[in-house]
Amino acid sequence: MFQQMKKRGFSLGALAAALVSCALCLVLVRSVSAKPEGQDENTDPSQNAASNRFLPPGAVGELAKINAEIDQIEQQTLRLIDTDLDSMHQIQTLGKLEIFDRSLSVNKNESCSTCHMPEAGYTGASQILNMTTVAYPGSVKTRFSGRKPQSYAYATLAPVLHYNKTQQDFYGGNFWDMRATGARMQSAAAEQAEGPPTNPVEMGLPDSACVAYRVSRGRYLSLWLKVYGSTIETITWPADAEKTCGTPVGKNGVGPQLSLSSEDRTKTNTIYDQFALAIAAYEGSSAVNAFSSKFDAYLAGNAMLTPQEQHGYELFNGQGKCNTCHLSGNANGATGGTVADAAPVFTDFTSSNLGLPKNLDIPLYYENKPDAYGYVVNPMGTAYVDLGVGAFLSGAQGSPVPDKSWMQYAPMYNGKMRVPTVRDVDMRPYPDFVKAYMHNGYLKSLKEVVHFYNTRDMMCPTPNDSNAKKTCWPAPEVSQNEDTTVGKLGLSDQDEDDIVAFLKTLTDGYSTTNPAVANTIQQNIRAMRESLQH
């Protein structure tokens, strides 16, 4: 499957919005800090922003602001290395440093956090890109990923992907298409972390061993040695290692590989797994999975929902049918509490095809010609259809299917995408910041999301109907396996607003300033996690 892309001209509306936001960007962007020690200047010929026809006006400035913040967070975290950290906080700190390390990309210009910033709920923090391309440029700036960056908050709670024969459904895994199954490492989050560093359209390293090489030359090697020992220092690196690791993948998706002995190759493979497990440790920490929202305080008996929020909560569990997939700890119409009520995750870890229209603003559909390195992301161009979980299960996408018996189910999962948590779905750096929603970013606000669920079955008579997103919706990209639970819910405009008000109570940070509330919530979280282990 094609995961990343090229782009047509933007719609007039999107371009106008981008131009307006450009002015805002000029106000927001602070001067970019000097590159940290060891951060090379970019020599990639595709990095000239002026020649990148995919980046809308103002996006370069917003990305510079994001990278400046990433560098600042990395510098602050580096100061923790020589402090008295216990073993748990050592590995979590190591994982955080990896996530904010831009040197782990082919051009040393992009980290995991470039697409997953804390203030945006661990997803994309460029308002302009959210409004236009949805997908974010990779280390090679003319290459874009094919979907909206998915939040990694609470992702570590996803189980290893498995097929439940009783429920006749797949549960668990990470990525929108569930391809990070967790089967090999028994951690879906860790296997997800191994994807972006070597994805040609994301961080773009040509060889997974380049992670070990860059870490061995990096600023937190001493912490790595504390956590994982000295094996990383015993590898004999070839003289051209720096050049190899700085060369993007080219024709036929092939890039240069480091010339290593079989023994050293085994070591780098192990180190790559350790690298991913450290990231999963950070992603599973209370810094990311905080369970500190107003709703958590409400469950702990230490906050009251407003009448609007309360009504939204009731609709969420009832007429809105949100709770059918985004489990809130209370089934529709259920009474009484269980341990799951202490800290519900707001996902059932399954997948669904909601019938979203194709989003032709994603550059993937136009990246059907060789780039400066001869790499073609999507030979199918606009004919490409994102089949999601179905493409993964069929084997056509290229990721290994750990249980071959699963492949028989592929047609039944065409168009389905992993159900994300709605925790932190409204987390944003400032109130008017525009986020992109759903796997292809077609929806731009929580109001649009709820309105889509409510009225999806009102089809537009023509593909480019002027009333699209208002009184009707374009045809789905994939009509197979469409979820019929939603689409004609009969909610009023005020009902939609009330559900949005409830969703906003799921933003973390509400109760962290109250020690008593935080303690009660943490006790509930421990109880929930203990129940999941039994």
Side-chain angles (χ1 to χ4, degrees):
M1 162 184 150
F2 309 109
Q3 300 170 5
Q4 301 32 58
M5 40 273 134
K6 230 169 206 172
K7 165 131 192 129
R8 65 170 184 172
F10 304 116
S11 65
L12 291 176
L15 181 58
L19 289 170
V20 170
S21 292
C22 179
L24 177 62
C25 173
L26 293 175
V27 175
L28 292 174
V29 175
R30 62 175 179 262
S31 59
V32 180
S33 61
K35 289 181 179 295
E37 183 180 353
Q39 191 100 321
D40 292 353
E41 288 295 332
N42 203 308
T43 58
D44 177 2
S46 71
Q47 301 307 297
N48 183 351
S51 67
N52 190 342
R53 67 190 180 97
F54 301 130
L55 284 174
V60 172
E62 283 196 346
L63 289 171
K65 174 182 178 289
I66 290 168
N67 281 333
E69 183 180 350
I70 287 170
D71 293 344
Q72 184 180 45
I73 293 173
E74 182 188 31
Q75 289 299 316
Q76 292 170 346
T77 309
L78 284 168
R79 298 190 190 111
L80 298 175
I81 290 178
D82 295 324
T83 61
D84 187 21
L85 297 174
D86 57 35
S87 58
M88 181 180 76
H89 288 94
Q90 282 180 352
I91 193 169
Q92 290 175 354
T93 300
L94 177 61
K96 182 176 181 179
L97 285 167
E98 292 170 358
I99 280 180
F100 286 89
D101 184 358
R102 294 200 288 138
S103 78
L104 295 180
S105 61
V106 64
N107 289 309
K108 299 185 179 181
N109 60 349
E110 177 164 305
S111 71
C112 300
S113 294
T114 301
C115 301
H116 303 276
M117 289 298 285
E119 66 266 28
Y122 299 96
T123 185
S126 167
Q127 173 170 258
I128 292 173
L129 294 182
N130 294 343
M131 291 191 298
T132 55
T133 65
V134 174
Y136 279 51
S139 185
V140 177
K141 293 303 175 191
T142 53
R143 300 176 183 175
F144 284 67
S145 64
R147 299 172 181 145
K148 183 205 119 170
Q150 191 170 25
S151 172
Y152 61 73
Y154 301 96
T156 55
L157 299 178
V160 173
L161 185 65
H162 60 283
Y163 185 74
N164 185 311
K165 291 183 179 180
T166 302
Q167 299 295 328
Q168 297 186 338
D169 208 349
F170 285 96
Y171 291 81
N174 267 323
F175 283 127
W176 285 109
D177 53 19
M178 295 178 157
R179 69 185 186 275
T181 65
R184 184 176 66 84
M185 299 176 67
Q186 290 299 289
S187 168
E191 290 190 16
Q192 184 279 329
E194 291 192 334
T198 58
N199 190 323
V201 299
E202 295 187 52
M203 297 166 77
L205 291 171
D207 185 342
S208 62
C210 290
V211 166
Y213 174 74
R214 293 274 175 90
V215 170
S216 73
R217 266 57 177 170
R219 297 177 290 277
Y220 47 87
L221 175 61
S222 61
L223 181 57
W224 179 281
L225 297 175
K226 290 179 184 178
V227 174
Y228 290 125
S230 61
T231 299
I232 195 170
E233 294 188 308
T234 67
I235 298 170
T236 301
W237 299 106
D240 63 350
E242 187 60 43
K243 179 181 178 181
T244 297
C245 292
T247 303
V249 165
K251 186 177 180 180
N252 298 322
V254 176
Q257 300 290 290
L258 291 170
S259 179
L260 299 171
S261 68
S262 59
E263 181 181 359
D264 283 344
R265 177 60 66 175
T266 298
K267 291 177 183 177
T268 62
N269 289 341
T270 299
I271 288 168
Y272 198 52
D273 287 348
Q274 293 170 332
F275 156 84
L277 288 167
I279 287 178
Y282 169 66
E283 291 178 347
S285 71
S286 60
V288 179
N289 299 348
F291 291 99
S292 62
S293 69
K294 181 178 182 179
F295 182 71
D296 291 300
Y298 162 78
L299 291 180
N302 291 291
M304 293 290 292
L305 300 181
T306 68
Q308 183 182 26
E309 293 165 350
Q310 182 65 44
H311 186 232
Y313 181 32
E314 293 165 0
L315 290 169
F316 187 96
N317 291 327
Q319 185 180 349
K321 299 184 179 179
C322 315
N323 189 45
T324 304
C325 296
H326 299 284
L327 304 184
S328 65
N330 289 295
N332 288 348
T335 58
T338 68
V339 70
D341 296 323
V345 186
F346 286 92
T347 176
D348 61 359
F349 300 111
T350 65
S351 60
S352 181
N353 176 15
L354 296 172
L356 283 158
K358 197 170 191 172
N359 186 0
L360 288 172
D361 282 340
I362 296 178
L364 167 68
Y365 298 106
Y366 313 96
E367 198 155 2
N368 58 347
K369 302 294 183 184
D371 64 14
Y373 299 95
Y375 182 64
V376 181
V377 176
N378 174 19
M380 297 179 68
T382 56
Y384 169 68
V385 176
D386 190 348
L387 295 178
V389 178
F392 158 61
L393 292 176
S394 73
Q397 181 240 52
S399 297
V401 181
D403 186 335
K404 299 306 179 186
S405 70
W406 294 355
M407 300 178 79
Q408 65 184 303
Y409 302 113
M412 292 180 283
Y413 284 83
N414 283 340
K416 292 190 176 185
M417 300 288 170
R418 181 180 180 272
V419 176
T421 179
V422 290
R423 282 184 172 273
D424 291 328
V425 73
D426 190 57
M427 184 174 284
R428 60 191 75 224
Y430 50 90
D432 295 333
F433 178 84
V434 176
K435 297 183 73 170
Y437 291 99
M438 321 308 275
H439 73 277
N440 65 3
Y442 181 76
L443 305 175
K444 307 298 184 183
S445 69
L446 288 176
K447 174 68 173 181
E448 279 193 356
V449 171
V450 177
H451 187 58
F452 174 76
Y453 277 69
N454 186 27
T455 63
R456 179 203 63 195
D457 292 349
M458 301 293 292
M459 301 297 294
C460 293
T462 58
N464 298 313
D465 195 291
S466 60
N467 289 314
K469 291 190 174 185
K470 300 173 185 176
T471 59
C472 67
W473 299 92
E477 179 176 11
V478 182
S479 58
Q480 300 167 265
N481 311 310
E482 190 174 69
D483 188 335
T484 57
T485 305
V486 298
K488 195 176 182 180
L489 298 175
L491 298 169
S492 69
D493 184 67
Q494 185 60 57
D495 288 339
E496 292 179 358
D497 290 341
D498 292 353
I499 291 176
V500 170
F502 168 67
L503 290 172
K504 291 183 177 184
T505 70
L506 302 179
T507 302
D508 282 323
Y510 174 83
S511 45
T512 53
T513 57
N514 186 328
V517 173
N519 182 60
T520 301
I521 293 172
Q522 288 302 318
Q523 289 177 351
N524 289 339
I525 293 169
R526 283 193 291 272
M528 181 210 57
R529 287 175 172 164
E530 287 173 1
S531 73
L532 292 175
Q533 293 171 358
H534 296 304

